[in-house]
């Protein structure tokens, strides 16, 4: 109930004003002081040591004031604001690096692809992005304050026959870091040596867990798409005490118009050559990001060499689709059958009433498609024995949720990022939807059909 006053004198602690979300105020004075509130017709004590606010007759539920004296109030920095800004800048740089390497792989036929122990591909870009992002975070926050969970290690680079590969990684990292001033970051005083690059990669050795703060990086998510000249993503998230608190997703080949996603890869590359993308046209390349609890998700165009990243660079707010009719909805799924059962998702689609053809996309670009409203559903049901890694989902989950969507496992439980490098206690699969209504329908369909599946 509003409190109306004709005369009021009150001692107000500073944090009372800080909590006023409407005014979003905070002092630049370190320490504590008090405020006295007076009606404008009241006399002030001339000897009072406190800051004085002169108020007319007022409704205190809508208090807006100015402070006399030298101690001005400034906007309260939002939690994780610096971390988010640095992360966005770092991912922009990583995307530039990836574009250069992908051009070499696809157009020039340079063979820089290796196979890991699980036969998945890894490229110069994977190691180079990991080293670059690791170096940027360490410089921004101090090496002792940065813990990173990341996908790559230096085992392959340390082999005696990998000298050429390692040399290519070191050159790629230094070429990228030299562009740091364009992205509002400081470049190294001198080029990084081989030892420094290997250390930047290998220090990303955190195993995560339920407590503390750590970054989660997938330097090139969807490497198979990357080497084929198709979709891929650079994914960076920050987790604190088991909860994803911010996520950044760089999608260098993600087009502005969703129709381009269905074009044949070669045709898309030809069109891209004829009409090179620019930051003004937004033809290709976006960075998505969100902070937990903000209720907002954002998209920026990629920054090219002739431009500079000025935060927040006219970022555009994005939101999930409002479509809740299954017959009109589009669903995403992984391209590779080894990563998800296409037959099972096809059965679910039929049961729910989905009529559109699935949008099969490499990498976490699927999360970006839902967050931006280009699709409504993402379903992934891996085959028995496959364990989902946190770096494949962390950044995308928080972006969809802050854009208004829902992401859970197939049991309707929130994804658990507190159990190390793998998602803990995952129930059958992962379901991301633009809204609760579609999400509920998918969950019901999974419950009704799971026992008859071969998963």
């Amino acid at each position: 109930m509003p409190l109306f006053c004709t005369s009021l004198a009150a001692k107000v602690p500073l944090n009372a004003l800080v909590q006023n979300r409407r005014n979003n105020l905070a002092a630049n004075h370190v320490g504590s002081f008090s405020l006295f509130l007076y009606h404008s017709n009241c006399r002030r004590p001339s000897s009072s040591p406190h800051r004085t606010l002169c108020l007319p007759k007022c409704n205190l539920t809508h208090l807006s004031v100015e402070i006399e004296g030298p101690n001005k109030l400034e906007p309260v920095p939002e939690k994780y604001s610096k971390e988010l800004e640095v992360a966005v800048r770092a991912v922009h740089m990583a995307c530039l690096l990836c574009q250069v390497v992908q051009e070499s792989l696809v157009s020039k036929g340079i063979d820089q692809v290796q196979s890991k122990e699980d036969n998945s591909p890894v490229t110069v870009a994977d190691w180079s992005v990991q080293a670059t992002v690791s170096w940027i975070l360490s410089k921004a926050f101090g090496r002792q304050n940065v813990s990173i969970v990341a996908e790559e290690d230096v085992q392959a680079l340390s082999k005696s026959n990998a000298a050429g590969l390692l040399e290519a990684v070191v050159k790629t990292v230094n070429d990228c870091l030299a562009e740091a001033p364009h992205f509002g970051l400081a470049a190294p005083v001198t080029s990084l040596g081989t030892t420094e690059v290997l250390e930047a990669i290998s220090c990303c050795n955190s195993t995560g867990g339920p407590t503390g703060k750590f970054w989660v990086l997938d330097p090139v998510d969807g490497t198979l798409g990357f080497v084929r000249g198709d979709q891929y993503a650079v994914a960076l998230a920050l987790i604190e005490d088991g909860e994803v608190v911010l996520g950044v997703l760089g999608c260098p080949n993600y087009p502005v118009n969703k129709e381009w996603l269905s074009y044949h890869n070669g045709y898309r590359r030809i069109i891209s050559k004829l009409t090179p993308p620019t930051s003004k046209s937004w033809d290709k390349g976006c960075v998505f990001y969100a902070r937990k609890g903000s209720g907002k998700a954002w998209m920026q165009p990629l920054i090219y060499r002739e431009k500079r990243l000025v935060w927040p660079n006219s970022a555009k707010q994005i939101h999930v689709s409002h479509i809740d009719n299954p017959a009109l909805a589009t669903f995403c799924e992984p391209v590779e059958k080894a990563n998800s059962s296409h037959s099972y998702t096809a059965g679910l689609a039929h049961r729910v009433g989905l009529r559109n053809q699935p949008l099969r996309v490499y990498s976490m670009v699927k999360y970006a498609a839902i967050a931006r409203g280009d699709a409504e559903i993402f379903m992934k049901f891996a085959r028995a024995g496959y364990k989902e890694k946190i770096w494949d989902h962390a950044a995308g989950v928080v972006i969809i949720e802050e854009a208004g969507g829902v992401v859970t496992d197939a049991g309707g439980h929130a994804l658990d990022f507190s159990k190390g490098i793998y998602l803990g206690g995952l129930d059958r699969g992962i379901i991301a939807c633009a809204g609760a209504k579609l999400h509920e329908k998918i969950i019901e369909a999974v419950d009704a059909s799971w026992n008859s599946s071969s998963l």
Side-chain angles (χ1 to χ4, degrees):
M1 181 177 182
L3 173 62
F4 292 91
C5 62
T6 56
S7 178
L8 173 67
K11 187 175 181 180
V12 182
L14 178 62
N15 61 7
L17 284 181
V18 174
Q19 296 302 318
N20 186 330
R21 293 185 64 186
R22 182 184 177 193
N23 295 311
N24 198 28
L25 303 176
N28 60 7
H29 173 77
V30 178
S32 61
F33 61 90
S34 301
L35 302 172
F36 274 85
L37 310 182
Y38 289 91
H39 183 268
S40 57
N41 293 329
C42 296
R43 292 184 180 179
R44 310 175 194 173
S46 59
S47 60
S48 173
H50 304 289
R51 300 292 177 213
T52 303
L53 305 183
C54 297
L55 302 178
K57 185 174 181 179
C58 58
N59 178 340
L60 292 186
T61 59
H62 301 287
L63 183 63
S64 181
V65 299
E66 293 183 0
I67 290 185
E68 296 179 354
N71 297 95
K72 295 181 180 180
L73 298 185
E74 298 176 345
V76 178
E78 294 178 329
K79 194 173 185 181
Y80 307 114
S81 58
K82 181 180 179 181
E83 289 89 341
L84 180 60
E85 181 178 342
V86 172
V88 170
R89 294 181 189 276
V91 170
H92 268 285
M93 288 184 62
C95 288
L96 173 63
L97 183 159
C98 288
Q99 287 179 320
V100 172
V101 176
Q102 190 182 55
E103 177 68 16
S104 298
L105 291 172
V106 175
S107 299
K108 300 178 183 179
I110 297 177
D111 185 14
Q112 295 176 329
V113 183
Q114 303 290 314
S115 293
K116 293 189 282 190
E117 291 183 358
D118 62 357
N119 292 323
S120 62
V122 60
T123 71
V124 166
D126 293 82
W127 288 300
S128 300
V129 168
Q130 187 160 313
T132 299
V133 173
S134 173
W135 188 89
I136 291 171
L137 294 178
S138 294
K139 288 300 177 183
F141 304 107
R143 181 68 198 96
Q144 70 280 9
N145 301 317
V146 174
S147 178
I148 306 174
V149 177
E151 185 170 10
E152 308 306 337
D153 58 37
V154 297
Q155 184 176 354
L157 292 177
S158 303
K159 294 179 179 179
S160 58
N161 61 348
L165 182 62
L166 179 56
E167 181 181 353
V169 170
V170 173
K171 181 181 185 305
T172 303
V173 170
N174 282 311
D175 287 349
C176 180
L177 289 177
E179 301 289 337
H182 289 278
F183 298 89
L185 297 169
V189 177
T190 59
S191 297
L192 302 188
T194 299
T195 300
E196 292 171 292
V197 171
L198 288 174
E199 286 178 351
I201 297 171
S202 60
C203 72
C204 301
N205 58 0
S206 172
T207 56
T211 60
K213 182 190 296 186
F214 57 91
W215 295 89
V216 178
L217 170 67
D218 193 339
V220 180
D221 182 46
T223 304
L224 193 56
F226 175 76
V227 300
R228 292 176 176 175
D230 207 304
Q231 297 296 329
Y232 64 99
V234 177
L236 181 62
L238 180 62
I239 294 178
E240 185 165 19
D241 295 335
E243 180 180 39
V244 184
V245 296
L246 67 85
V248 185
L249 200 57
C251 306
N253 284 340
Y254 193 76
V256 176
N257 299 313
K258 70 176 183 179
E259 290 80 9
W260 279 47
L261 288 172
S262 61
Y263 284 164
H264 186 272
N265 300 338
Y267 178 70
R268 179 193 61 75
R269 288 198 297 272
I270 292 172
I271 294 298
S272 297
K273 292 286 186 183
L274 294 175
T275 57
T278 66
S279 58
K280 290 184 178 180
S281 69
W282 286 39
D283 286 337
K284 185 178 74 171
C286 306
V287 173
F288 301 83
Y289 60 91
R291 179 177 53 83
K292 184 74 173 180
S294 66
K296 295 178 181 178
W298 303 89
M299 177 181 71
Q300 290 178 335
L302 283 188
I303 300 300
Y304 293 89
R305 292 180 186 272
E306 72 277 8
K307 302 293 183 179
R308 288 181 178 271
L309 176 58
V310 180
W311 181 259
N313 194 42
S314 302
K316 175 184 177 182
Q317 188 175 348
I318 58 172
H319 198 279
V320 296
S321 166
H322 295 293
I323 292 175
D324 59 8
N325 182 352
L328 301 177
T330 298
F331 78 95
C332 301
E333 63 182 355
V335 174
E336 295 299 307
K337 294 181 179 180
N339 290 337
S340 186
S341 173
H342 288 177
S343 60
Y344 182 67
T345 54
L348 281 179
H350 179 75
R351 181 183 290 269
V352 173
L354 299 175
R355 298 291 178 263
N356 292 330
Q357 289 295 312
L359 182 61
R360 290 177 179 162
V361 185
Y362 291 101
S363 80
M364 263 187 278
V365 166
K366 294 179 283 292
Y367 282 104
I370 294 177
R372 200 176 73 173
D374 297 341
E376 288 72 39
I377 300 167
F378 163 45
M379 299 183 286
K380 183 179 182 182
F381 298 92
R383 301 187 183 280
Y386 183 84
K387 299 173 71 174
E388 297 286 352
K389 301 176 183 69
I390 60 174
W391 53 69
D392 288 327
H393 303 281
V397 168
V398 70
I399 292 171
I400 284 184
E401 290 177 342
E402 297 307 311
V406 183
V407 186
T408 71
D409 65 16
H413 310 107
L415 302 189
D416 186 355
F417 293 92
S418 70
K419 298 296 191 294
I421 67 171
Y422 298 105
L423 289 177
L426 190 68
D427 186 348
R428 293 170 288 185
I430 296 173
I431 299 171
C433 291
K437 186 175 179 180
L438 283 174
H439 184 264
E440 184 179 350
K441 288 181 179 293
I442 299 295
I443 294 289
E444 291 174 352
V446 171
D447 289 338
S449 61
W450 188 258
N451 289 336
S452 60
S453 73
S454 58
L455 298 176

